Every structure is written in C-alpha cells, then in structure tokens.
C-alpha cells in the first residue's frame, strides 16, 4: 500500500511543538479549504492565528478573513483552542 493512500483523521497529529509558521499556516489552509477534512473555520482560524504568532504574514491576513466569516463566539472558541495548543506545545 502506498503511503499516499493513508488518510490521517487529524492532520495536526503530525505537528510537533516546534512546528514552524509555514507548517501552522498549511494546517490553516487544510481546514479552510477542506483538504481531506471537513471545512472548519474555527480550526482554520486557530491555525492561522498560531502561524501569525510565529511571524507568518499570510497567516495574519487569513486569520482576519476567517474572523470576518465567523460569529464572535466562534472567534473566541478559535482563540481559546490556539491558547490550549500553545500550552500543550510548551
């Protein structure tokens, strides 16, 4: 079986705590575009936010785009999820 045939339930399972801003940004793209996962704006915002905190310029723009499409409650959920990931990563 080729490795390309294997699907990972949660793509972020492959990230380490030392993930760079590009890896975090790609995770945001996966969730915002629905690449082998359901589109999830909360998760996308979370990953774009994390990418932005590590200096990714496009991550900042995408984070704002996601926020513009989300309710205030969902933005709060995404921010909380980002903080929780940072705690686990450190």
């Amino acid at each position: 079986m080729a490795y390309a045939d294997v699907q990972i339930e949660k793509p972020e399972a492959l990230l380490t705590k030392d993930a760079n801003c590009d890896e975090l940004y790609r995770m945001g793209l996966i969730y915002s575009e629905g690449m082998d996962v359901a589109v999830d704006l909360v998760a996308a915002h979370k990953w774009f936010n994390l990418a932005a905190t590590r200096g990714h310029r496009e991550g900042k723009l995408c984070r704002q785009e996601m926020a513009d499409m989300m309710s205030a409650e969902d933005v709060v959920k995404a921010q909380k999820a980002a903080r929780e990931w940072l705690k686990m990563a450190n």
Side-chain angles (χ1 to χ4, degrees):
M1 173 164 70
Y3 287 108
D5 295 338
V6 176
Q7 288 196 352
I8 298 168
E9 189 172 318
K10 289 194 170 204
E12 62 268 26
L14 300 175
L15 288 178
T16 67
K17 67 179 183 173
D18 300 321
N20 66 40
C21 64
D22 291 326
E23 293 169 314
L24 298 169
Y25 175 75
R26 277 193 294 274
M27 203 58 53
L29 289 177
I30 288 170
Y31 282 103
S32 68
E33 301 284 329
M35 298 176 185
D36 292 328
V37 297
V39 171
D40 184 340
L41 299 183
V42 172
H45 185 285
K46 166 189 165 180
W47 294 111
F48 288 138
N49 191 20
L50 290 165
T53 63
R54 294 195 179 177
H56 201 283
R57 286 187 340 157
E58 284 293 314
K60 289 180 184 181
L61 297 173
C62 291
R63 173 184 60 193
Q64 186 58 52
E65 287 178 16
M66 295 298 105
D68 290 345
M69 295 186 280
M70 297 164 60
S71 69
E73 291 173 349
D74 283 343
V75 171
V76 169
K77 285 180 192 175
Q79 291 170 336
K80 181 179 177 186
R83 284 191 304 274
E84 289 172 358
W85 190 86
L86 284 172
K87 285 179 189 176
M88 289 188 331
N90 292 320

XYZ file of all heavy atoms in Angstrom:
706
model
N 0.845 -1.175 0.000
C 0.000 0.000 0.000
C 0.891 1.238 0.000
O 1.819 1.343 0.782
C -0.904 -0.004 1.235
C -1.694 1.271 1.372
S -3.089 1.217 2.504
C -2.323 1.116 4.094
N 0.579 2.173 -0.848
C 1.334 3.422 -0.924
C 0.959 4.324 0.238
O -0.183 4.336 0.682
C 1.046 4.123 -2.244
N 1.911 5.089 0.699
C 1.640 5.998 1.809
C 0.615 7.052 1.446
O -0.109 7.532 2.287
C 2.927 6.674 2.291
C 3.825 5.738 3.045
C 5.000 5.274 2.481
C 3.475 5.303 4.315
C 5.818 4.402 3.169
C 4.288 4.425 5.007
C 5.462 3.974 4.428
O 6.252 3.121 5.122
N 0.526 7.413 0.189
C -0.442 8.422 -0.238
C -1.876 7.947 -0.050
O -2.796 8.743 -0.022
C -0.209 8.793 -1.696
N -2.070 6.639 0.079
C -3.407 6.086 0.265
C -3.873 6.154 1.717
O -5.018 5.882 2.013
C -3.458 4.626 -0.190
C -3.230 4.487 -1.684
O -3.457 5.477 -2.404
O -2.819 3.405 -2.110
N -2.988 6.523 2.618
C -3.310 6.577 4.033
C -3.855 7.963 4.359
O -3.244 8.968 4.034
C -2.064 6.283 4.896
C -2.388 6.434 6.363
C -1.534 4.896 4.588
N -5.021 7.992 4.989
C -5.572 9.271 5.416
C -5.456 9.374 6.930
O -5.710 8.410 7.644
C -7.029 9.406 4.997
C -7.183 9.617 3.522
C -8.561 10.134 3.176
O -9.442 10.205 4.016
N -8.738 10.500 1.937
N -5.099 10.537 7.373
C -4.950 10.797 8.800
C -6.197 11.510 9.268
O -6.628 12.490 8.660
C -3.696 11.646 9.065
C -2.462 10.867 8.596
C -3.591 12.027 10.525
C -1.215 11.689 8.541
N -6.796 11.004 10.338
C -8.037 11.597 10.827
C -7.853 13.060 11.205
O -8.669 13.900 10.891
C -8.554 10.793 12.013
C -9.936 11.208 12.440
C -10.499 10.274 13.476
O -10.346 9.063 13.355
O -11.110 10.795 14.421
N -6.780 13.365 11.896
C -6.494 14.739 12.302
C -5.111 15.102 11.769
O -4.105 14.649 12.306
C -6.528 14.883 13.819
C -7.911 14.784 14.398
C -7.913 15.255 15.821
C -9.341 15.376 16.294
N -9.450 16.312 17.376
N -5.069 15.923 10.739
C -3.772 16.261 10.146
C -2.785 16.871 11.142
O -1.582 16.671 11.022
C -4.134 17.278 9.058
C -5.574 17.076 8.790
C -6.176 16.534 10.053
N -3.280 17.581 12.133
C -2.386 18.214 13.108
C -1.647 17.212 13.979
O -0.696 17.569 14.677
C -3.132 19.227 13.972
C -4.238 18.665 14.800
C -5.600 18.702 14.099
O -5.663 18.690 12.872
O -6.597 18.737 14.821
N -2.046 15.950 13.931
C -1.362 14.928 14.709
C 0.104 14.799 14.296
O 0.922 14.318 15.070
C -2.080 13.583 14.560
N 0.422 15.245 13.104
C 1.796 15.170 12.619
C 2.656 16.353 13.057
O 3.859 16.342 12.857
C 1.800 15.076 11.089
C 1.082 13.868 10.499
C 1.057 13.951 8.993
C 1.728 12.577 10.962
N 2.042 17.374 13.636
C 2.799 18.554 14.063
C 3.504 18.304 15.383
O 2.972 17.644 16.268
C 1.863 19.755 14.242
C 1.295 20.384 12.990
C 0.364 21.525 13.376
C 2.380 20.884 12.073
N 4.666 18.877 15.498
C 5.372 18.844 16.776
C 5.247 20.213 17.425
O 4.827 21.183 16.793
C 6.870 18.526 16.577
O 7.488 19.618 15.886
C 7.058 17.230 15.797
N 5.648 20.300 18.667
C 5.574 21.579 19.370
C 6.485 22.622 18.728
O 6.291 23.817 18.912
C 5.932 21.410 20.846
C 7.372 21.041 21.109
C 7.655 20.921 22.583
C 9.129 20.634 22.812
N 9.462 20.679 24.205
N 7.461 22.170 17.966
C 8.395 23.077 17.308
C 7.977 23.418 15.884
O 8.787 23.931 15.111
C 9.796 22.456 17.285
C 10.322 22.186 18.684
O 10.086 23.027 19.575
O 10.959 21.146 18.880
N 6.716 23.163 15.540
C 6.242 23.435 14.183
C 6.512 24.892 13.827
O 6.289 25.787 14.631
C 4.750 23.138 14.082
N 7.006 25.091 12.612
C 7.291 26.463 12.203
C 6.029 27.125 11.653
O 4.999 26.485 11.476
C 8.459 26.518 11.206
C 8.140 25.853 9.887
O 7.038 25.977 9.349
N 9.104 25.133 9.347
N 6.136 28.412 11.373
C 4.961 29.167 10.953
C 4.389 28.659 9.638
O 3.174 28.687 9.440
C 5.273 30.664 10.882
S 6.492 31.137 9.651
N 5.222 28.152 8.743
C 4.721 27.619 7.476
C 3.882 26.356 7.684
O 2.863 26.163 7.027
C 5.866 27.326 6.513
C 6.543 28.588 6.001
O 5.852 29.610 5.825
O 7.770 28.546 5.782
N 4.315 25.500 8.596
C 3.558 24.281 8.887
C 2.203 24.629 9.510
O 1.182 24.026 9.168
C 4.357 23.377 9.834
C 5.608 22.815 9.192
C 6.530 22.153 10.188
O 6.791 22.736 11.270
O 7.004 21.047 9.882
N 2.195 25.586 10.406
C 0.948 26.012 11.039
C 0.017 26.654 10.021
O -1.192 26.417 10.020
C 1.245 26.973 12.194
C 2.082 26.383 13.329
C 2.537 27.480 14.275
C 1.334 25.292 14.068
N 0.585 27.443 9.116
C -0.189 28.075 8.053
C -0.823 27.016 7.147
O -2.005 27.112 6.806
C 0.713 29.012 7.256
C 0.040 29.638 6.060
C -0.874 30.674 6.217
C 0.331 29.200 4.770
C -1.491 31.258 5.119
C -0.278 29.780 3.672
C -1.193 30.806 3.855
O -1.806 31.371 2.760
N -0.052 26.015 6.775
C -0.591 24.932 5.934
C -1.755 24.230 6.625
O -2.727 23.827 5.982
C 0.508 23.940 5.569
C 1.341 24.380 4.395
C 2.215 23.264 3.857
N 3.236 22.834 4.787
C 4.433 23.397 4.909
N 4.754 24.421 4.144
N 5.302 22.949 5.764
N -1.664 24.083 7.932
C -2.767 23.463 8.673
C -4.013 24.331 8.564
O -5.122 23.822 8.394
C -2.348 23.278 10.138
C -3.103 22.225 10.860
S -3.027 20.566 10.153
C -1.288 20.289 9.995
N -3.845 25.642 8.637
C -4.971 26.543 8.442
C -5.582 26.390 7.063
O -6.806 26.385 6.903
N -4.729 26.251 6.056
C -5.227 26.044 4.693
C -6.020 24.750 4.571
O -7.060 24.703 3.914
C -4.068 26.025 3.694
C -3.361 27.339 3.424
C -2.185 27.121 2.471
C -4.321 28.371 2.868
N -5.524 23.704 5.208
C -6.212 22.411 5.158
C -7.639 22.559 5.660
O -8.586 22.086 5.023
C -5.435 21.351 5.971
C -4.156 20.961 5.217
C -6.305 20.136 6.284
C -3.198 20.107 6.020
N -7.811 23.229 6.793
C -9.150 23.365 7.373
C -9.995 24.425 6.674
O -11.213 24.293 6.599
C -9.059 23.647 8.877
C -8.774 22.390 9.649
C -7.509 22.116 10.134
C -9.769 21.439 9.861
C -7.239 20.945 10.823
C -9.511 20.265 10.552
C -8.245 20.023 11.025
O -7.985 18.856 11.701
N -9.379 25.468 6.145
C -10.171 26.498 5.468
C -10.633 26.036 4.086
O -11.703 26.439 3.630
C -9.384 27.805 5.353
O -8.279 27.679 4.476
N -9.848 25.190 3.450
C -10.173 24.703 2.113
C -10.875 23.341 2.138
O -11.389 22.905 1.114
C -8.898 24.585 1.272
C -8.151 25.885 1.105
C -8.804 26.809 0.107
O -9.418 26.301 -0.846
O -8.697 28.027 0.290
N -10.832 22.659 3.279
C -11.429 21.331 3.357
C -10.628 20.284 2.598
O -11.192 19.464 1.880
N -9.322 20.310 2.760
C -8.439 19.345 2.082
C -8.413 18.041 2.871
O -7.730 17.930 3.876
C -7.026 19.908 1.967
C -6.922 21.162 1.168
S -5.212 21.757 1.225
C -5.373 23.289 0.350
N -9.191 17.078 2.433
C -9.308 15.759 3.079
C -9.908 15.830 4.477
O -9.814 14.867 5.237
C -7.964 15.020 3.118
C -7.491 14.615 1.733
O -8.353 14.328 0.871
O -6.273 14.580 1.509
N -10.469 16.976 4.838
C -11.208 17.145 6.093
C -12.409 18.032 5.782
O -12.446 18.690 4.745
C -10.352 17.816 7.205
C -9.163 16.963 7.594
C -9.906 19.204 6.795
N -13.356 18.059 6.681
C -14.484 18.984 6.522
C -13.980 20.406 6.745
O -13.086 20.641 7.565
C -15.578 18.656 7.535
N -14.531 21.356 5.998
C -14.188 22.764 6.219
C -14.563 23.114 7.658
O -15.659 22.795 8.119
C -14.931 23.683 5.232
C -14.751 25.140 5.605
C -14.460 23.425 3.809
N -13.632 23.730 8.368
C -13.834 24.085 9.775
C -13.185 25.445 9.995
O -11.960 25.534 10.150
C -13.213 23.016 10.669
C -13.456 23.241 12.142
O -13.764 24.383 12.552
O -13.314 22.267 12.913
N -14.000 26.484 9.984
C -13.465 27.840 10.109
C -12.834 28.096 11.471
O -11.863 28.849 11.575
C -14.546 28.876 9.816
C -15.154 28.838 8.409
C -16.162 29.974 8.237
C -14.091 28.895 7.340
N -13.371 27.477 12.518
C -12.793 27.644 13.859
C -11.380 27.065 13.881
O -10.433 27.704 14.347
C -13.692 27.002 14.943
C -13.001 26.992 16.296
C -15.031 27.738 15.024
N -11.231 25.857 13.358
C -9.904 25.235 13.307
C -8.971 26.024 12.397
O -7.793 26.221 12.723
C -10.016 23.786 12.842
N -9.483 26.491 11.265
C -8.654 27.273 10.342
C -8.147 28.537 11.030
O -6.954 28.865 10.949
C -9.454 27.618 9.089
N -9.042 29.239 11.715
C -8.644 30.462 12.432
C -7.574 30.135 13.468
O -6.580 30.855 13.591
C -9.869 31.090 13.098
C -9.605 32.408 13.750
N -8.930 32.518 14.947
C -9.921 33.671 13.376
C -8.851 33.793 15.291
N -9.446 34.514 14.341
N -7.773 29.061 14.189
C -6.803 28.636 15.201
C -5.411 28.495 14.590
O -4.439 29.053 15.096
C -7.237 27.307 15.808
C -6.182 26.591 16.617
C -6.644 25.197 16.974
C -5.527 24.316 17.449
N -6.014 22.969 17.783
N -5.323 27.754 13.476
C -4.013 27.502 12.883
C -3.434 28.747 12.235
O -2.224 28.990 12.322
C -4.096 26.331 11.906
C -4.410 25.057 12.625
C -5.557 24.325 12.561
C -3.580 24.387 13.581
N -5.483 23.251 13.406
C -4.283 23.262 14.041
C -2.307 24.633 14.092
C -3.754 22.381 14.979
C -1.772 23.749 15.033
C -2.499 22.648 15.460
N -4.261 29.561 11.598
C -3.758 30.816 11.038
C -3.284 31.741 12.156
O -2.279 32.439 12.021
C -4.827 31.513 10.192
C -5.105 30.842 8.875
C -6.406 30.708 8.423
C -4.076 30.365 8.075
C -6.673 30.105 7.199
C -4.326 29.760 6.851
C -5.636 29.640 6.413
N -3.998 31.741 13.271
C -3.608 32.550 14.425
C -2.244 32.103 14.953
O -1.370 32.928 15.222
C -4.678 32.450 15.515
C -4.487 33.452 16.635
O -3.806 34.452 16.489
N -5.109 33.179 17.762
N -2.065 30.802 15.085
C -0.784 30.281 15.563
C 0.339 30.615 14.585
O 1.442 30.971 15.001
C -0.884 28.771 15.789
C -1.762 28.367 16.983
C -2.102 26.886 16.924
C -1.076 28.724 18.294
N 0.054 30.506 13.290
C 1.059 30.866 12.286
C 1.412 32.344 12.400
O 2.593 32.718 12.325
C 0.534 30.547 10.883
N 0.396 33.172 12.600
C 0.620 34.612 12.725
C 1.478 34.928 13.949
O 2.356 35.799 13.884
C -0.717 35.349 12.802
N 1.251 34.217 15.045
C 2.037 34.485 16.254
C 3.501 34.109 16.069
O 4.359 34.594 16.797
C 1.484 33.747 17.490
O 1.567 32.345 17.285
C 0.064 34.164 17.787
N 3.757 33.244 15.081
C 5.147 32.869 14.792
C 5.697 33.626 13.591
O 6.713 33.245 13.023
C 5.248 31.357 14.594
C 4.926 30.628 15.899
C 5.340 29.213 15.913
N 5.000 28.631 17.231
C 5.190 27.388 17.543
N 5.690 26.548 16.667
N 4.861 26.947 18.740
N 4.990 34.700 13.195
C 5.528 35.614 12.206
C 5.081 35.426 10.764
O 5.643 36.059 9.876
N 4.089 34.608 10.506
C 3.646 34.370 9.129
C 2.701 35.489 8.684
O 1.608 35.641 9.210
C 2.944 33.015 9.035
C 2.903 32.467 7.655
N 2.023 32.937 6.706
C 3.636 31.505 7.062
C 2.221 32.266 5.590
N 3.195 31.389 5.772
N 3.126 36.283 7.697
C 2.323 37.427 7.235
C 0.993 36.991 6.620
O -0.037 37.592 6.883
C 3.103 38.262 6.228
C 4.183 39.083 6.872
C 4.872 40.033 5.944
N 4.708 39.692 4.533
C 4.825 40.550 3.538
N 5.139 41.794 3.780
N 4.665 40.170 2.293
N 1.009 35.983 5.769
C -0.232 35.497 5.160
C -1.163 34.917 6.225
O -2.379 34.981 6.099
C 0.057 34.443 4.092
C 0.582 35.004 2.809
C -0.454 35.851 2.073
O -1.614 35.436 1.947
O -0.078 36.945 1.628
N -0.572 34.342 7.265
C -1.377 33.813 8.366
C -2.211 34.907 9.010
O -3.375 34.686 9.353
N -1.638 36.093 9.155
C -2.378 37.225 9.727
C -3.560 37.598 8.846
O -4.662 37.846 9.334
C -1.466 38.434 9.899
C -0.448 38.283 10.990
C 0.418 39.514 11.091
C 1.501 39.312 12.137
N 2.352 40.495 12.274
N -3.328 37.649 7.546
C -4.399 38.010 6.615
C -5.507 36.961 6.608
O -6.697 37.290 6.642
C -3.832 38.181 5.207
C -2.814 39.302 5.011
C -2.213 39.237 3.620
C -3.459 40.643 5.256
N -5.104 35.706 6.570
C -6.092 34.624 6.543
C -6.872 34.540 7.852
O -8.067 34.254 7.843
C -5.414 33.293 6.226
S -4.798 33.193 4.538
N -6.185 34.804 8.949
C -6.869 34.817 10.252
C -7.991 35.844 10.229
O -9.111 35.566 10.673
C -5.864 35.128 11.364
C -6.485 35.320 12.723
C -5.473 35.725 13.763
N -4.834 36.978 13.408
C -3.739 37.458 14.000
N -3.162 36.781 14.967
N -3.220 38.603 13.637
N -7.720 37.026 9.671
C -8.742 38.063 9.596
C -9.869 37.660 8.650
O -11.041 37.897 8.942
C -8.135 39.394 9.149
C -9.130 40.533 9.185
C -9.727 40.748 10.570
O -9.001 40.870 11.555
N -11.049 40.776 10.662
N -9.524 37.032 7.534
C -10.552 36.557 6.600
C -11.482 35.555 7.280
O -12.700 35.599 7.093
C -9.918 35.914 5.372
C -9.284 36.898 4.430
C -8.618 36.220 3.244
O -8.888 35.035 2.964
O -7.818 36.896 2.578
N -10.907 34.656 8.058
C -11.722 33.675 8.775
C -12.619 34.380 9.784
O -13.812 34.095 9.885
C -10.846 32.647 9.508
C -9.999 31.750 8.636
S -10.939 30.708 7.516
C -10.641 31.575 5.971
N -12.050 35.316 10.527
C -12.813 36.041 11.549
C -13.988 36.783 10.929
O -15.073 36.844 11.527
C -11.905 37.000 12.305
N -13.790 37.323 9.720
C -14.857 38.058 9.042
C -16.030 37.148 8.673
O -17.149 37.626 8.504
C -14.321 38.741 7.781
C -13.383 39.894 8.094
O -13.355 40.366 9.255
O -12.651 40.313 7.169
N -15.778 35.858 8.549
C -16.827 34.893 8.178
C -17.436 34.180 9.389
O -18.352 33.385 9.234
C -16.262 33.847 7.217
C -15.835 34.412 5.888
S -15.347 33.131 4.714
C -13.679 32.755 5.273
N -16.906 34.467 10.576
C -17.307 33.743 11.773
C -18.096 34.634 12.726
O -17.977 35.854 12.687
C -16.050 33.229 12.498
C -15.228 32.250 11.707
S -13.552 32.006 12.369
C -13.870 31.388 14.009
N -18.845 33.993 13.608
C -19.509 34.733 14.682
C -18.455 35.094 15.735
O -17.376 34.481 15.795
C -20.602 33.881 15.325
O -20.025 32.793 16.047
N -18.778 36.058 16.562
C -17.866 36.442 17.648
C -17.607 35.262 18.582
O -16.482 35.071 19.059
C -18.439 37.631 18.420
N -18.626 34.448 18.819
C -18.470 33.271 19.686
C -17.480 32.279 19.087
O -16.672 31.686 19.810
C -19.820 32.584 19.896
C -20.793 33.377 20.728
C -22.173 32.727 20.770
O -22.445 31.785 19.990
O -22.985 33.174 21.589
N -17.553 32.081 17.771
C -16.631 31.148 17.129
C -15.198 31.667 17.153
O -14.254 30.888 17.286
C -17.077 30.838 15.704
C -18.236 29.857 15.660
O -18.498 29.172 16.677
O -18.900 29.774 14.599
N -15.023 32.981 17.028
C -13.682 33.558 17.115
C -13.113 33.294 18.511
O -11.951 32.909 18.649
C -13.682 35.062 16.777
C -12.323 35.691 17.079
C -14.064 35.279 15.315
N -13.929 33.467 19.526
C -13.485 33.199 20.896
C -13.096 31.724 21.047
O -12.067 31.413 21.653
C -14.573 33.599 21.920
C -14.244 33.096 23.311
C -14.757 35.112 21.920
N -13.881 30.817 20.474
C -13.552 29.379 20.522
C -12.205 29.108 19.858
O -11.390 28.342 20.371
C -14.622 28.556 19.804
C -15.911 28.397 20.553
C -16.870 27.557 19.716
C -18.264 27.598 20.268
N -19.217 26.874 19.404
N -11.989 29.740 18.698
C -10.737 29.537 17.972
C -9.552 30.071 18.767
O -8.496 29.429 18.824
C -10.814 30.214 16.610
N -9.713 31.228 19.386
C -8.632 31.805 20.183
C -8.326 30.928 21.396
O -7.155 30.733 21.737
C -9.002 33.222 20.609
C -9.035 34.191 19.455
C -9.623 35.536 19.821
O -10.394 35.668 20.767
N -9.273 36.561 19.048
N -9.360 30.404 22.007
C -9.165 29.508 23.148
C -8.434 28.243 22.714
O -7.516 27.782 23.386
C -10.511 29.156 23.776
C -10.391 28.260 24.983
C -11.750 27.949 25.585
C -11.579 26.986 26.765
N -12.851 26.548 27.300
N -8.822 27.698 21.565
C -8.173 26.485 21.052
C -6.699 26.751 20.746
O -5.843 25.895 21.008
C -8.902 25.987 19.809
N -6.388 27.926 20.234
C -4.993 28.283 19.954
C -4.191 28.368 21.253
O -3.071 27.860 21.333
C -4.917 29.605 19.189
N -4.781 29.002 22.267
C -4.086 29.089 23.566
C -3.860 27.708 24.159
O -2.788 27.433 24.712
C -4.885 29.954 24.546
C -4.784 31.441 24.283
C -5.370 32.264 25.412
N -6.751 31.946 25.716
C -7.809 32.477 25.102
N -7.642 33.380 24.156
N -9.042 32.141 25.463
N -4.838 26.819 24.044
C -4.698 25.464 24.574
C -3.592 24.706 23.846
O -2.823 23.982 24.470
C -6.027 24.720 24.486
C -7.053 25.226 25.464
C -8.444 24.631 25.262
O -8.644 23.837 24.318
O -9.336 24.976 26.056
N -3.507 24.881 22.515
C -2.447 24.208 21.761
C -1.091 24.722 22.203
O -0.150 23.936 22.358
C -2.648 24.406 20.254
C -1.717 23.543 19.456
C -1.921 22.252 19.086
C -0.419 23.909 18.964
N -0.827 21.798 18.383
C 0.109 22.791 18.302
C 0.338 25.078 19.020
C 1.359 22.803 17.691
C 1.585 25.080 18.419
C 2.078 23.959 17.766
N -0.979 26.032 22.417
C 0.290 26.592 22.866
C 0.697 26.031 24.228
O 1.874 25.743 24.455
C 0.204 28.122 22.936
C 0.250 28.853 21.609
C -0.033 30.337 21.795
C 1.592 28.640 20.910
N -0.261 25.870 25.112
C 0.038 25.297 26.432
C 0.540 23.872 26.299
O 1.487 23.468 26.958
C -1.202 25.311 27.333
C -1.534 26.659 27.873
C -2.791 26.575 28.747
C -3.286 27.944 29.140
N -4.546 27.875 29.893
N -0.117 23.085 25.441
C 0.287 21.693 25.254
C 1.651 21.614 24.561
O 2.440 20.714 24.823
C -0.744 20.925 24.425
C -2.019 20.661 25.173
S -3.189 19.574 24.329
C -2.905 19.819 22.605
N 1.919 22.553 23.662
C 3.152 22.528 22.903
C 4.356 22.945 23.746
O 5.485 22.629 23.415
C 3.047 23.441 21.675
N 4.103 23.663 24.828
C 5.218 24.124 25.671
C 5.394 23.315 26.890
O 5.065 22.509 27.391
C 5.027 25.585 26.052
C 5.153 26.490 24.849
O 6.006 26.272 24.004
N 4.310 27.482 24.751
